[in-house]
């Protein structure tokens, strides 16, 4: 199995860690490749950023299918480009937010997402509605750390833990989702720390969730429904 992870940003500061993490998340038989955008935003922290990243993401997704990849992950918690890519690809296309919310909703009656900035709160709330799990979403909290600074792990873990405790105690969350795919390699440690302090709840890593979901779909031999994600009508489309 071959999975292409497309980071819908031009910044490559996460590439090495992304390849290591996704390769660790995937089964030993799965080959993972990581690619950035050739043009677009440095990070996705708003609807505007998301709109800017989608054209090249779609180009990269089509290239992945042509290269023989079995599935594609849009590696951003806003799931940019996932729905249009599903219309034009015949391989599964997965967004980490959708994957995380679906998995978490099966583990608890309520959950909270802890993300980067207030700018993306509404975006995540909207995805919870289209995914059908909004009634279980207790809150979306944020650590107020920009995406391009989340590699400062000690600062990140301290801020995440503080907001997670608030989500449990104040918002009555029974599970937690890391609301940024840049929050790599911290879920297990945070889950253990919460348990040690009396909060025995799951903490979901979105990149891990996306990896396992795309592997499952490929293994099952299924992809997005053409009744939902219809092939776009044939017409002239000028991209530049």
């Amino acid at each position: 199995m071959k999975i292409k992870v497309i980071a819908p940003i031009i910044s490559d500061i996460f590439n090495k860690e992304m390849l290591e993490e996704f390769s660790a998340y995937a089964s030993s038989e799965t080959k993972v490749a990581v690619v950035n955008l050739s043009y677009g935003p440095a990070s996705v922290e708003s609807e505007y950023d998301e709109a800017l990243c989608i054209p090249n993401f779609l180009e990269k997704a089509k290239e992945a299918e042509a290269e023989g990849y079995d599935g594609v992950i849009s590696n951003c918690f806003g799931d940019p480009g996932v729905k249009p890519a599903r219309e034009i690809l015949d391989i599964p296309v997965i967004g980490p937010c959708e994957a995380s919310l679906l998995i978490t909703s099966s583990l608890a009656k309520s959950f909270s997402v802890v993300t980067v900035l207030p700018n993306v709160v509404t975006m995540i709330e909207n995805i919870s509605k289209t995914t059908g799990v909004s009634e279980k979403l207790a809150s979306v909290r944020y650590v107020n750390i920009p995406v391009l600074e989340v590699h400062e792990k000690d600062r990140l873990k301290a801020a995440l833990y503080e907001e997670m405790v608030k989500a449990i105690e104040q918002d009555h969350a029974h599970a937690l989702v890391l609301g940024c795919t840049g929050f790599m390699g911290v879920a297990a440690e945070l889950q253990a720390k919460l348990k040690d302090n009396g909060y025995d709840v799951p903490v979901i890593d979105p990149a891990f969730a996306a990896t396992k979901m795309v592997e499952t779909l490929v293994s099952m031999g299924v992809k997005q429904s053409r009744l939902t994600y219809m092939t776009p009508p044939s017409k002239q489309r000028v991209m530049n």
Side-chain angles (χ1 to χ4, degrees), residues 143-146 149-150 152-160:
V143 293
N144 221 23
I145 300 175
E149 296 179 15
V150 301
E152 300 174 16
K153 296 296 186 183
D154 290 340
R155 174 191 176 197
L156 174 64
K157 287 185 287 188
L160 284 170

Side-chain angles (χ1 to χ4, degrees), residues 67-119:
E67 293 165 352
Y69 283 87
D70 301 296
V72 166
I73 294 172
S74 176
N75 194 39
C76 169
F77 202 75
D79 294 356
V82 167
K83 287 183 171 61
R86 286 173 176 169
E87 292 182 347
I88 60 174
L89 267 59
D90 281 317
I91 57 176
V93 182
I94 295 298
C97 183
E98 183 181 61
S100 300
L101 300 190
L102 289 172
I103 289 172
T104 310
S105 66
S106 70
L107 300 175
K109 74 170 189 177
S110 62
F111 63 89
S112 287
V113 176
V114 184
T115 189
V116 281
L117 298 172
N119 308 60

Side-chain angles (χ1 to χ4, degrees), residues 9 13 21 60 64 75 92 101 115 127 147 150 154 192 224 230:
I9 59 176
I13 64 171
E21 290 288 330
K60 298 291 185 182
N75 194 39
L101 300 190
T115 189
I127 295 174
V147 170
V150 301
D154 290 340
Q224 51 273 5
M230 297 184 179

